[in-house]
Amino acid sequence: MNRIYLIALCLLIFQSNIFAQQFNFDKRLIVQFHSKSGGEAVVNSFATQRSEGLRWKRISASLNIWLLSWETDISKEEIKKDLESYSEILYIQNDAEVQNRNINEPNDPQANIQWYLDKIRAKRAWTQSTGGFTIDGDTIVIAVVEREGPEVDHEDLLSQFWVNKAEIPNDGIDNDNNSYTDDYKGLNISLGSDKHPADIRNHATPVCGILGATGNNNIGVAGINWNIKILMVSNVQTVGQIIEAYEYIIEMRKRYDNSGGTDGAYVVASNASFGRDNTFPDEFPSWCAMYDVMGNNGIMTAVATSNSNVNIGEAGDLPTLCPSPFIIGVTNTTEDDIKAKDAGFSKEHIDLGAPGINIHTTNTSNSYSVAGGTEGGGTSFSTPLVTGAIALLYSMPSPEFAAMAKSNPAGASLLIKQYIVDGVDKTSNLEERTLSGGRLNLERSMILLSQEFGNIEENLSLDKLMPNPARNRLKYVFKGNEFVDHDILIVNMLGQVVLQDKIHPIVFGDPELEIDISKLVPGQYILTVRNKKEVKSKPFIKMDDL
């Protein structure tokens, strides 16, 4: 073992020790107060009553939630008993560790095959939008909460991370007065800076790549969003830290809205590839309540279910059992649209399935491989497909939807969830295992949004009627929005419709179409293609058959 290797090994161990925090959960409590004010009085009173080195930290201003910790020998039960005497307190909860939701450690890289993009119809969806911006020019942001940090200098992720424009990097000053110093490229929740821990479990880097690896750049793989900004919150290992992370994300969205886009981040989606098995909402009500606050600010969260073959409604699982309407519960499906053997299910609590096995994407050391290893995968990697879908739908070029997302962010968020759940491909295997009975279909979700908010971008054209005059068959070239239904009609000179059908534009390949006119009597006609907003027509002549 040479000297250089020893130094590298020591550095790796040192870094792992810094970021792999050890928490004594027997000496930690989460306390939520009834109102947004009044917590300070109880904190000060309790600190005066007891002097055992108690530490209070507000982790959510939105819901007035505090983390209480101590290092002395006093028992948690004694602290709880004393706290229960304060009527201002709504909940006293344990803090607890959360787990990543992949199955196995990564294996050697696989072939660069992203089969799941075709399965969820992403390539078809990309003909309408590849993500990144709303029609109004807002930069779309996805919040990713993880135990470790991603490889921020990965070649396919380098340009995808959100930066806090109100913060000056590495100057040691809290420039934006948000209680965190140098949170320029997101936040390490434990350090209060943007120095993210190494991705030793190969989890955060794949998650980020699935939802947002740079697309169409001749490098590596493509994420669901070719262009996106990822607000990274790392080193999140406990329930208390989840609440604090969500508060940070909410604050950044509020700053964006209140500043007209000059500060903060336009966060519309949040990814939760973590959770706790065998756990119910009444054990962590404050954690569940944060999803309502997120949603009311326009942020929908996709949440991974358990990597165990259990009915989570009976066995328990958080956050998928949280009663908030602003979460989308996701289970893991295979290439054959079958629920993975190690994945939770529930017809009441899991909204849909998404591929999570053999997902080829970004990985550490500037590499690409199958997330979770060739025998692994997990709901951790199903979920960012749905998170990415949420963000991609916000990029659809619809002025009406963009306006609604600004005037009614909660309503827009719920509509996006509806389009995703209603747009699934139904499968017999998921019918009794998920609420929707199906697997994510991104193209169909886009169609649903398009239909409700009218034509997205028509640019309808009808060209080259050939031959003209024609006898039995008439060829034509038709281009338009593939997400909108179009009618084709043939009308005679008396204004009578003599033929009518539905058609869809050809996106890939030859756009030339053909129609049978053999049954028409000879004469002059008009061929018309129309949708809800545009009509294009061209005349032609039907000749006698030979």
Side-chain angles (χ1 to χ4, degrees), residues 133-154:
F133 304 92
T134 69
I135 194 171
D136 293 335
D138 299 288
T139 299
I140 298 171
V141 180
I142 295 175
V144 175
V145 177
E146 282 282 326
R147 190 182 186 95
E148 279 94 29
E151 191 169 274
V152 294
D153 57 353
H154 192 290

Side-chain angles (χ1 to χ4, degrees), residues 26 42 64 66 76 224 240 257 315 323 325 372 386 436 460 533 540:
D26 290 331
V42 173
N64 203 4
W66 296 67
K76 183 189 291 188
I224 296 301
D257 292 343
V386 178
S436 67
L460 181 63
K533 291 190 177 182
F540 71 95

